[in-house]
Amino acid sequence: MTIQTFIRLAAICGAVLMSSAPAGAHPHVWVTMHSELIYAPDGSITGVRHAWAFDDMFSAFATQGYESKVKGQFTREELAPLAKVNVESLKEYDYFTYAMADGKKAKMIDPLPDYYLDFNDQVLTLHFTVPFEKPVSAKELKIDIYDPTIFVDFSYDKKDPVKLVGAPANCKAEVKPPREMTFAEGKALSQIPPDEKNTTMAWGANFANKILVHCP
Amino acid sequence: MTWLARRSALAQCVLFILFVLLVAGAIDAVSAAPFGVGSAPAVDGVTGWVLAKQAEFYRMLSGAIRAAKADGSAAWALLGISFAYGVFHAAGPGHGKAVISSYLVANDETWKRGIALSFASAILQAMTAIIIVAIAAVVLNATSKAMGDTVRVVEMVGYGLIILIGLRLLWVKGRAFWHLLRPPAHAHAHDHKHDHGHNHGHAHNHNPGHDHDHADEAHAWGHAHAPEPSELTGQHWLKRGLAAIVAVGLRPCSGAIIVLVFALAQGIFWIGVASTFVMGLGTAITVSVIATLAVGARGLAGRWAKAKPGGGMLMLRGLETAAALVIVVFGVLLLTGYMVSERMFGV
């Protein structure tokens, strides 16, 4: 066969295969967040308390099948089993919370047992605290919150997204929303070689919701 | 450039199959990630645009459902958004594009049948979602976790079916390919008369529009008796295709399930059902387009094969065998969870 035919044939097959390839999932869950950073008396940070409000569609989906005394309203006790399921499912994804203290990864462990779910105005909110393995004292603390698989879309609430609880007076927290990707970055990203380890994590971190805490 | 043309038919064939497998493998490697759910989505160009559109329309669905609850005529807007979502969403992982396309190439189906198969499987996917929610949520008042578990079981069955279909195709097409590669020992001059009679008989069985390479096979391989794969006639395409339709259709769209449960919670389940079917229509169109492309490629290959005596038929059977292999590989990757078609949030 001629080389042109070979190329044409191969190109068509390639095109069909490419178009069948996973083009990337899209978010199915939207979460609006509030976070509190909890400090110990000695000025080290012990953990992050999250309040994650789910979108109305997912709120309805998640509460499907749970009994409630008043239809359309759920108490914390009624939602306790669901909260357990949620927190246990999140373990697999590291609770979507990643922390770096002075440039080094800070390990986080399973949430404290006082987690619970709220259901108000058809919105389901998960409250839970993710502690650090060891309280962290750092000049620069960076916390990223994101889902590398973009099944969940996280964003900070416009109002009071982050609070420092019990922090030393000179600590300052800054919230950085995900920034828009420039065309050039998008192009560069799509050209990252497939064998680059943790490419997904590295990518996601760039466009995660970031909390930056600066304690001089 | 003539290096390739000068290679033997076998070498060209092997090279081509290797290339196809390489592309498939590369795509999988690029898209594989922990849990196998798509890697960093390429936000550049068309893919990024499709992704953005998917999310956009999906996000509009909840608002549209609430609007439809308040005002019945808003249901039309909901249907429009559902359709758009279906069209863009099918460009993402799942909805059987790769399996259906490979199936069409391996079986040498016409584009009309390709469209029929695409539509049938898309409608079945819509029905699976509706049935699961209807039974689980409406009748049993089960939790979404229970629904997620049900989906997982159902999709495993679907993936198993895909593997079975692929294996059977691999056996049939692979055997045909192998026999062309190394004709059985009894092939010699005496087979000439034997061949022509044999193949003329087959020619009369062909449906119009079906590839006529069997008659050509005799001319191209006058001295060899190539056994005909038994499924090459087009008469039982629907029966054959049924397995493929069911295999692909068993996996419902997670988005459709969430939408149905939300519509149920809002008290407008039937509007949710209509929305799901319209979503299915959208995905059917997208999958049909891909399927038609695949059939077109196969047609090109067939026409080229006819023009080239000797290596052409070998090449063609090789292509079909590669397509069957792709089906098996996809089924295995899906079944083992290495590749995830669509995530069902395990709430």
Side-chain angles (χ1 to χ4, degrees):
Chain A
M1 80 176 111
T2 63
I3 193 73
Q4 287 107 316
T5 318
F6 183 93
I7 290 176
R8 220 183 299 148
L9 208 49
I12 291 180
C13 283
V16 174
L17 281 171
M18 298 281 238
S19 59
S20 314
H26 69 91
H28 282 69
V29 188
W30 280 261
V31 170
T32 312
M33 306 185 279
H34 284 98
S35 296
E36 287 175 359
L37 301 176
I38 317 290
Y39 282 78
D42 67 353
S44 64
I45 175 169
T46 57
V48 184
R49 187 182 299 145
H50 287 303
W52 287 356
F54 296 103
D55 65 272
D56 54 1
M57 213 150 62
F58 185 77
S59 299
F61 181 68
T63 54
Q64 161 63 35
Y66 282 87
E67 302 289 340
S68 65
K69 269 226 228 21
V70 180
K71 189 163 162 25
Q73 282 177 22
F74 295 90
T75 65
R76 281 189 201 177
E77 292 74 31
E78 285 164 345
L79 289 174
L82 177 59
K84 188 163 184 294
V85 168
N86 280 345
V87 169
E88 282 168 4
S89 311
L90 284 169
K91 185 181 164 70
E92 195 184 348
Y93 303 101
D94 296 328
Y95 311 100
F96 297 130
T97 309
Y98 308 94
M100 298 269 269
D102 287 332
K104 268 193 351 215
K105 180 163 164 214
K107 191 154 171 343
M108 311 196 78
I109 54 177
D110 288 347
L112 301 177
D114 63 352
Y115 56 82
Y116 63 93
L117 276 170
D118 257 335
F119 192 81
N120 292 313
D121 286 328
Q122 304 195 327
V123 171
L124 189 68
T125 308
L126 179 65
H127 299 262
F128 68 112
T129 308
V130 190
F132 286 99
E133 192 177 36
K134 284 193 307 264
V136 168
S137 295
K139 285 218 170 48
E140 307 286 342
L141 178 67
K142 182 168 78 107
I143 300 180
D144 291 337
I145 302 179
Y146 65 98
D147 176 6
T149 67
I150 55 162
F151 191 86
V152 185
D153 177 292
F154 288 100
S155 61
Y156 270 109
D157 200 341
K158 299 277 187 301
K159 201 166 165 303
D160 296 329
V162 172
K163 263 211 294 249
L164 296 177
V165 176
N170 53 357
C171 282
K172 278 232 246 314
E174 189 192 345
V175 172
K176 283 195 152 199
R179 61 191 171 92
E180 295 298 313
M181 202 183 301
T182 65
F183 179 78
E185 284 173 320
K187 209 163 169 31
L189 265 166
S190 58
Q191 282 158 6
I192 292 177
D195 57 353
E196 186 157 316
K197 238 172 129 24
N198 285 329
T199 299
T200 309
M201 302 291 275
W203 180 89
N206 264 325
F207 300 92
N209 291 276
K210 287 192 226 288
I211 308 173
L212 297 166
V213 184
H214 179 65
C215 291
Chain B
M1 288 300 223
T2 52
W3 171 84
L4 187 62
R6 274 207 238 110
R7 296 301 105 197
S8 68
L10 171 60
Q12 290 179 358
C13 207
V14 169
L15 282 169
F16 186 82
I17 293 176
L18 278 176
F19 176 82
V20 168
L21 291 176
L22 209 69
V23 171
I27 291 165
D28 187 57
V30 166
S31 53
F35 324 115
V37 181
S39 75
V43 193
D44 192 29
V46 182
T47 332
W49 176 73
V50 168
L51 236 141
K53 279 288 177 236
Q54 273 187 61
E56 193 182 309
F57 285 116
Y58 185 75
R59 198 78 181 96
M60 284 199 256
L61 284 171
S62 69
I65 291 174
R66 272 182 278 116
K69 176 184 179 177
D71 172 15
S73 63
W76 292 109
L78 171 62
L79 293 183
I81 295 171
S82 308
F83 179 74
Y85 173 68
V87 168
F88 287 101
H89 179 61
H95 297 285
K97 293 185 303 299
V99 172
I100 289 181
S101 301
S102 307
Y103 176 87
L104 295 173
V105 167
N107 271 307
D108 188 27
E109 297 287 8
T110 63
W111 65 272
K112 286 188 191 143
R113 289 173 187 167
I115 290 180
L117 289 176
S118 304
F119 268 78
S121 59
I123 296 302
L124 185 58
Q125 277 173 347
M127 279 174 33
T128 310
I130 293 167
I131 289 171
I132 287 180
V133 174
I135 294 181
V138 180
V139 176
L140 301 174
N141 197 30
T143 61
S144 46
K145 181 173 196 303
M147 274 187 269
D149 294 340
T150 308
V151 166
R152 245 177 293 280
V153 169
V154 168
E155 72 181 359
M156 290 295 175
V157 173
Y159 299 155
L161 256 177
I162 289 175
I163 295 176
L164 286 175
I165 292 171
L167 282 174
R168 190 181 165 281
L169 269 175
L170 191 61
W171 169 247
V172 168
K173 304 295 168 176
R175 212 176 38 159
F177 173 60
W178 187 249
H179 279 130
L180 282 184
L181 212 49
R182 292 149 136 267
H186 67 266
H188 49 62
H190 294 292
D191 279 339
H192 244 292
K193 268 185 267 172
H194 182 67
D195 269 351
H196 286 296
H198 177 80
N199 284 298
H200 277 250
H202 268 269
H204 292 308
N205 277 339
H206 290 170
N207 291 325
H210 187 72
D211 191 294
H212 287 278
D213 57 3
H214 317 299
D216 294 313
E217 204 168 66
H219 299 298
W221 292 88
H223 301 283
H225 178 63
E228 307 262 337
S230 53
E231 293 289 284
L232 280 179
T233 61
Q235 285 161 351
H236 302 291
W237 71 275
L238 186 58
K239 218 168 58 166
R240 270 203 317 272
L242 206 58
I245 293 168
V246 170
V248 166
L250 273 181
R251 214 240 167 264
C253 173
S254 326
I257 292 187
I258 295 180
V259 164
L260 278 164
V261 172
F262 185 62
L264 176 68
Q266 297 291 308
I268 46 171
F269 183 61
W270 293 111
I271 296 185
V273 169
S275 159
T276 305
F277 273 121
V278 170
M279 256 189 242
L281 197 64
T283 65
I285 289 177
T286 304
V287 176
S288 297
V289 168
I290 308 285
T292 306
L293 275 173
V295 169
R298 172 71 175 75
L300 247 180
R303 275 196 299 281
W304 165 84
K306 262 186 278 206
K308 178 164 173 53
M313 202 44 54
L314 184 67
M315 185 63 236
L316 208 53
R317 295 285 168 253
L319 178 62
E320 291 176 343
T321 309
L325 189 62
V326 166
I327 296 177
V328 176
V329 168
F330 255 78
V332 169
L333 292 177
L334 288 167
L335 191 67
T336 56
Y338 183 73
M339 188 163 76
V340 174
S341 157
E342 233 189 343
R343 210 164 110 196
M344 186 72 208
F345 204 55
V347 178

